[in-house]
Amino acid sequence: MKSFPVIKPIDKKIFKIEFKDPYLKPAIIETEEQFKELIQNLIANKRQEEAKELTQQWINLKKEHFKLNYHGKFLNLGVKTAIMGIINVTPDSFSNGNEDYKDINKILKKVEFMLENGADIIDVGGESTRPGATPISADEEMERVIPVIQAIRKNLGDRFLLSVDTYKSTVADAAVSEGADIINDISGMTFDDKMADVVAKHDCHIVINHIKGTPQTWQTQEIYYDDVVYEIIEFFKNQISFGISRGIKPDRFIIDPGIGFGKKVEHNVEIIKRLDEFKILGLPILIGISRKSFLNIILKNLLNRPDTLPKERLPATLGATAYAVLKGAHIVRVHDVKETAEFLTILDTIRGYRIE
């Protein structure tokens, strides 16, 4: 259920404000003066809570810059789109799983290549979350990711941010203790509520990813949303409140709407198209589009061609990524770092170019 009131961006200068009262027409706001007048009217009519909530959302919508800061490492967000490079330490990843996941030297070369070619964050994951994937134990996951994190820090230094892709609190605790700076939890702290305690303990950043169902149920479950964007926004609000109640600082959260995590093609497209609506939360937005299956379905249906393999989906990935960045994504999680960095360098330069 959507909580009200809420500000919905129509474009960069026009906003629609919806109220809880179903008989009250939404307000269209185009200027700061119009918004201030609306707030004054709400206060005059003893609707202070609505005024307070809308004021905070308005401030959040105008916020363009964020900073990730952990153990002396800084990453400014808002001018240049940050790139998170994916390192799958699994034999069964949907995209590129193979036996090389055990070869530390090959992994180090891949990480080094990513860092040299534009990666700002390296994301290490030891369990596949493709549809139908078989879960593994925390012990097995640690056997996969901890040696890799240790090797990365030992051989490549401490000048970049390192993320661990896990929903298990014990794995996250060990990973941050060995050098990870960010916990990337696909469940948004719903699979293991002790994850919040780990984040609070280390005072690290956490990616709250939205998910519906599990990788084991996606192929059989009925997926339905009344409004996919606002259901995700309510999920974020709930999980952030839960995390804060367990001691996580408000500036430690990063939100990820979870493309493909219990969504149909139309849901994924709608999320990307309406990504700017997540700005009312006032947090950095991360999005993972790279090589996802919905891209293949779109290409297959609209271009009347056979299936496109994950590694062949770079052009489609970049097309969707461009729209997401223009709609407010601060961090993109990708497999193809070099190509994405070149693409985003041009996109960021053009969108930031000022004509006097």
Side-chain angles (χ1 to χ4, degrees):
M1 180 179 292
K2 187 192 301 183
S3 62
F4 293 93
V6 65
I7 304 177
K8 180 178 180 179
I10 303 302
D11 61 27
K12 287 187 176 182
K13 295 184 178 180
I14 302 175
F15 303 88
K16 183 166 105 174
I17 299 179
E18 298 178 354
F19 300 96
K20 186 174 183 178
D21 186 345
Y23 298 103
L24 196 61
K25 289 184 178 180
I28 301 300
I29 300 296
E30 298 186 37
T31 67
E32 192 85 28
E33 289 70 27
Q34 288 176 334
F35 181 76
K36 289 178 180 178
E37 184 179 348
L38 173 68
I39 294 301
Q40 289 169 358
N41 287 336
L42 288 173
I43 294 172
N45 286 281
K46 298 182 179 180
R47 294 162 64 183
Q48 286 89 347
E49 288 303 314
E50 284 183 286
K52 181 179 178 182
E53 172 62 27
L54 285 174
T55 300
Q56 187 59 60
Q57 289 185 25
W58 186 260
I59 291 170
N60 289 344
L61 281 168
K62 301 297 182 178
K63 189 172 183 180
E64 296 182 354
H65 302 284
F66 300 88
K67 180 181 288 186
L68 303 186
N69 173 16
Y70 192 66
H71 285 181
K73 293 181 283 294
F74 296 89
L75 180 60
N76 292 314
L77 304 174
V79 177
K80 168 189 174 295
T81 306
I83 296 174
M84 175 184 277
I86 300 169
I87 297 294
N88 288 318
V89 193
T90 65
D92 58 345
S93 163
F94 88 95
S95 178
N96 58 356
N98 56 60
E99 286 303 312
D100 284 348
Y101 81 96
K102 294 181 179 180
D103 191 325
I104 295 290
N105 289 328
K106 286 187 177 180
I107 293 170
L108 286 174
K109 288 181 181 179
K110 186 173 183 179
V111 172
E112 188 173 24
F113 178 83
M114 287 182 171
L115 292 171
E116 289 175 349
N117 285 278
D120 302 286
I121 308 168
I122 299 296
D123 189 45
V124 179
E127 178 176 338
S128 175
T129 52
R130 62 180 172 77
T134 302
I136 62 174
S137 68
D139 287 342
E140 184 175 356
E141 190 175 346
M142 278 196 274
E143 287 177 5
R144 293 179 181 181
V145 301
I146 299 305
V148 170
I149 289 172
Q150 291 171 332
I152 289 173
R153 283 303 186 213
K154 179 181 178 181
N155 292 275
L156 300 177
D158 199 39
R159 57 190 168 83
F160 55 92
L161 290 168
L162 188 58
S163 170
V164 59
D165 181 0
T166 184
Y167 57 82
K168 302 182 183 76
S169 61
T170 53
V171 177
D173 190 20
V176 177
S177 296
E178 293 296 337
D181 310 294
I182 302 168
I183 298 169
N184 184 9
D185 183 351
I186 65 158
S187 80
M189 302 189 297
T190 60
F191 290 177
D192 183 348
D193 62 8
K194 292 181 181 177
M195 183 67 82
D197 300 324
V198 172
V199 179
K201 169 187 170 183
H202 292 283
D203 190 27
C204 60
H205 291 281
I206 179 160
V207 178
I208 301 292
N209 184 94
H210 175 268
I211 192 169
K212 194 163 195 171
T214 68
Q216 292 71 48
T217 64
W218 289 334
Q219 294 174 324
T220 58
Q221 76 181 97
E222 181 67 26
I223 298 173
Y224 172 80
Y225 295 90
D226 182 42
D227 184 318
V228 64
V229 169
Y230 280 107
E231 185 168 322
I232 296 172
I233 287 174
E234 291 307 301
F235 173 88
F236 286 149
K237 287 181 178 179
N238 290 335
Q239 292 310 109
I240 289 165
S241 294
F242 165 70
I244 290 173
S245 74
R246 300 286 277 264
I248 301 176
K249 295 176 182 176
D251 65 351
R252 289 318 199 186
F253 297 100
I254 301 165
I255 55 174
D256 181 346
I259 296 293
F261 286 85
K263 283 98 175 171
K264 295 179 180 178
V265 174
E266 57 267 32
H267 299 139
N268 294 321
V269 172
E270 187 168 357
I271 288 166
I272 295 169
K273 192 173 181 65
R274 297 172 57 192
L275 197 68
D276 54 347
E277 294 181 36
F278 293 100
K279 291 181 180 180
I280 63 171
L281 297 171
L283 293 167
I285 301 170
L286 182 152
I287 196 161
I289 297 171
S290 184
R291 302 183 180 180
K292 292 286 177 78
S293 62
F294 85 99
L295 300 170
N296 171 57
I297 295 171
I298 293 173
L299 294 174
K300 186 176 179 179
N301 291 344
L302 297 186
L303 296 181
N304 193 28
R305 59 172 58 170
D307 286 323
T308 303
L309 296 175
K311 291 184 179 181
E312 300 171 343
R313 297 173 192 164
L314 176 60
T317 295
L318 295 177
T321 297
Y323 202 95
V325 169
L326 294 176
K327 280 290 187 173
H330 301 96
I331 308 169
V332 294
R333 183 177 181 271
V334 302
H335 298 84
D336 305 290
V337 167
K338 182 176 183 293
E339 295 84 352
T340 302
E342 293 174 358
F343 177 85
L344 288 176
T345 296
I346 302 301
L347 181 65
D348 288 339
T349 299
I350 293 173
R351 71 181 179 128
Y353 186 76
R354 303 292 182 187
I355 300 177
E356 300 300 335

